[in-house]
Amino acid sequence: MQSSADLRSLHVARFGAAPEIFAAPGRVNIIGEHTDYAEGFVMPAAIDFATLAGISPRSDGKIVIYSENFKEERSFDAAALPAAANHYWSDYPLGVLAILAGEGYTIPAFSLSIWSDVPLGSGLSSSAAIEVATALAVLSLIGAEIPGPKLARLCQRAENEFVGSACGIMDQFISANGKKDHALLLDCRDLSYKLAPIPPDVALVIANTMVKHAVTGGEYTSRRAQVEEAAAVIGRHRPEVKFLRDATLEDLEKWGSEMSPEAVKRARHVISENERTVEAADALIQNERKKLGRLMAEAHWSYSRDFEASCVEADAMVELAQDLPGLIGARLTGGGFGGCTVNLVEADHAKEFAAELAMRYVTRTGIQPQIHICHASDGARKV
Ligand code: ADP
Ligand code: MG
């Protein structure tokens, strides 16, 4: 499977009807990690890997969803959709249906075929991509339209409330609203945003460490709780601080002694990361590459040392990139504990950069990485 034409043939062969096809991209976060639920700033770009969803109506009252990635079909009764997750990939599309139904839309019977070239579970947000692609497909079948920012909120709710994962708004927002050749500085407080052009001679090189450490359950949740603990302590002294977005490093110096040592470190990451993200958007807009690189390096080590969400392999992938020709900046991207690093690289050097980084990484770790040379792409759309 390689293209929308392939998905069309697959859908026709399986379901005997021609589909309408929608695409929603994965994303890479250039900077701004774990700032979204602190109502802060993030700066992702949609990438040229996407999830495709083909949809056609059915007349037997069923909703049948096929994922080519899992080579598996799941069938449901449109009139009696599951009310809760059952820890299966189909939770993601079902969650979208549940949220749309809760918004008052009547969900008709349909066949849905899904295929994605976003690597699943690698921190490039295949989950938001499948949610947004499903939402667009179903809305088009119903003949309804929802603007991108609202669509992103509904898909985030599908993941929070149905799938049961406490993600912020970033992934769904960028998948729905990305813009070709741009990163997007998103204010997670009010969803206002500013586009920052990525110069044509800069490539996004995404290096998959191929590890995803199974941290003893709930690391994301515990980090989030520590961030909230820090915000609550500061808020006791400065009631206008409801989220760490409103706090400063000075606040942390003054009242850090009232928090657990973990909360102090997590908060130091989030508060400084928020500042770095706004500065990085400026640096990108002004094309100040040295500054951008420095901010990405600081972000990585803050994520690794204070937020303690990196791992040996991701630290190695960042270190090994440092003296390669063409590198502008490198850091671990996504939820942490493995997954991918994002490297901003001068486009002329991207190919050799990728090859050399792969060689160094396999020598250091014994693991063959996957390295992709990507470009910022448009958000979700009809194909
Ligand atoms: P990420 O969003 O970083 O890729 P997640 O763990 O948030 O990782 O989401 C990955 C999960 O989303 C998969 O394990 C699967 O359940 C679901 N998913 C994503 N893409 C697809 C797909 N194309 N087909 C079926 N399920 C998918
Ligand atoms: Mg995800």
Side-chain angles (χ1 to χ4, degrees):
M1 171 87 50
Q2 288 201 333
S3 66
S4 58
D6 293 345
L7 185 72
R8 190 175 303 280
S9 317
L10 177 153
H11 190 101
V12 170
R14 177 167 285 271
F15 296 119
E20 288 211 86
I21 299 183
F22 298 83
R27 63 98 186 96
V28 67
N29 191 21
I30 295 171
I31 192 165
E33 224 60 77
H34 287 262
T35 42
D36 56 355
Y37 54 81
E39 296 212 341
F41 292 90
V42 293
M43 190 167 70
I47 54 176
D48 37 4
F49 288 127
T51 297
L52 301 180
I55 196 162
S56 59
R58 294 177 74 98
S59 50
D60 61 357
K62 297 230 169 291
I63 289 177
V64 182
I65 309 176
Y66 173 76
S67 166
E68 172 67 7
N69 296 83
F70 285 88
K71 303 231 179 308
E72 193 180 25
E73 188 175 285
R74 307 272 290 160
S75 180
F76 308 91
D77 208 335
L81 284 169
N86 56 14
H87 308 288
Y88 221 73
W89 62 263
S90 47
D91 290 347
Y92 294 82
L94 287 176
V96 170
L97 300 182
I99 295 295
L100 289 177
E103 290 288 298
Y105 295 97
T106 304
I107 308 296
F110 61 80
S111 305
L112 186 72
S113 51
I114 304 272
W115 171 71
S116 188
D117 63 358
V118 183
L120 271 56
S122 299
L124 301 181
S125 206
S126 69
S127 59
I130 189 174
E131 289 153 11
V132 173
T134 300
L136 277 192
V138 172
L139 286 169
S140 137
L141 191 66
I142 300 174
E145 250 183 80
I146 296 180
K150 180 161 181 221
L151 188 73
R153 270 283 185 230
L154 295 179
C155 290
Q156 181 202 12
R157 284 184 51 208
E159 193 153 339
N160 290 165
E161 296 169 23
F162 193 91
V163 177
S165 140
C167 62
I169 183 69
M170 167 171 68
D171 299 355
Q172 293 80 8
F173 196 93
I174 188 69
S175 183
N177 303 291
K179 188 159 160 58
K180 189 169 158 51
D181 300 328
H182 287 75
L184 190 153
L185 176 71
L186 175 66
D187 183 340
C188 297
R189 169 154 283 166
D190 60 9
L191 300 190
S192 61
Y193 66 88
K194 179 158 96 177
L195 291 169
I198 299 178
D201 63 335
V202 174
L204 298 169
V205 180
I206 296 173
N208 193 339
T209 61
M210 311 305 279
V211 301
K212 184 74 200 171
H213 293 288
V215 272
T216 45
E219 287 296 315
Y220 182 95
T221 315
S222 75
R223 293 294 186 285
R224 205 171 156 152
Q226 291 155 350
V227 166
E228 279 156 13
E229 178 197 332
V233 168
I234 296 171
R236 282 209 293 272
H237 299 278
R238 284 180 57 210
E240 67 275 24
V241 176
K242 300 267 187 299
F243 294 91
L244 286 186
R245 186 254 175 80
D246 305 304
T248 64
L249 291 172
E250 261 173 28
D251 294 336
L252 202 57
E253 258 165 46
K254 276 198 213 149
W255 299 304
S257 61
E258 298 171 27
M259 302 166 196
S260 66
E262 288 77 27
V264 174
K265 289 171 82 175
R266 309 310 180 233
R268 192 161 60 213
H269 168 74
V270 171
I271 296 170
S272 62
E273 182 81 349
N274 206 40
E275 290 173 1
R276 277 188 295 272
T277 303
V278 174
E279 274 189 68
D282 267 350
L284 195 54
I285 289 166
Q286 307 294 333
N287 205 0
E288 292 175 329
R289 299 186 182 187
K290 272 227 165 76
K291 184 172 171 191
L292 185 60
R294 175 178 57 77
L295 290 165
M296 287 177 75
E298 287 173 12
H300 178 78
W301 294 110
S302 168
Y303 199 32
S304 178
R305 291 175 186 143
D306 276 344
F307 213 74
E308 296 181 89
S310 186
C311 59
V312 175
E313 294 85 354
D315 285 350
M317 193 73 94
V318 166
E319 273 168 23
L320 295 171
Q322 290 311 311
D323 62 344
L324 287 178
L327 180 76
I328 297 166
R331 55 175 285 279
L332 171 61
T333 184
F337 309 106
C340 296
T341 67
V342 55
N343 302 265
L344 263 51
V345 179
E346 288 163 19
D348 282 354
H349 290 281
K351 266 201 177 139
E352 299 107 84
F353 176 92
E356 182 65 23
L357 182 59
M359 215 161 69
R360 288 181 173 192
Y361 183 76
V362 79
T363 306
R364 170 82 70 96
T365 64
I367 304 166
Q368 186 69 51
Q370 273 173 10
I371 304 193
H372 313 281
I373 299 173
C374 294
H375 298 92
S377 84
D378 280 324
R381 60 208 172 262
K382 183 162 196 269
V383 175

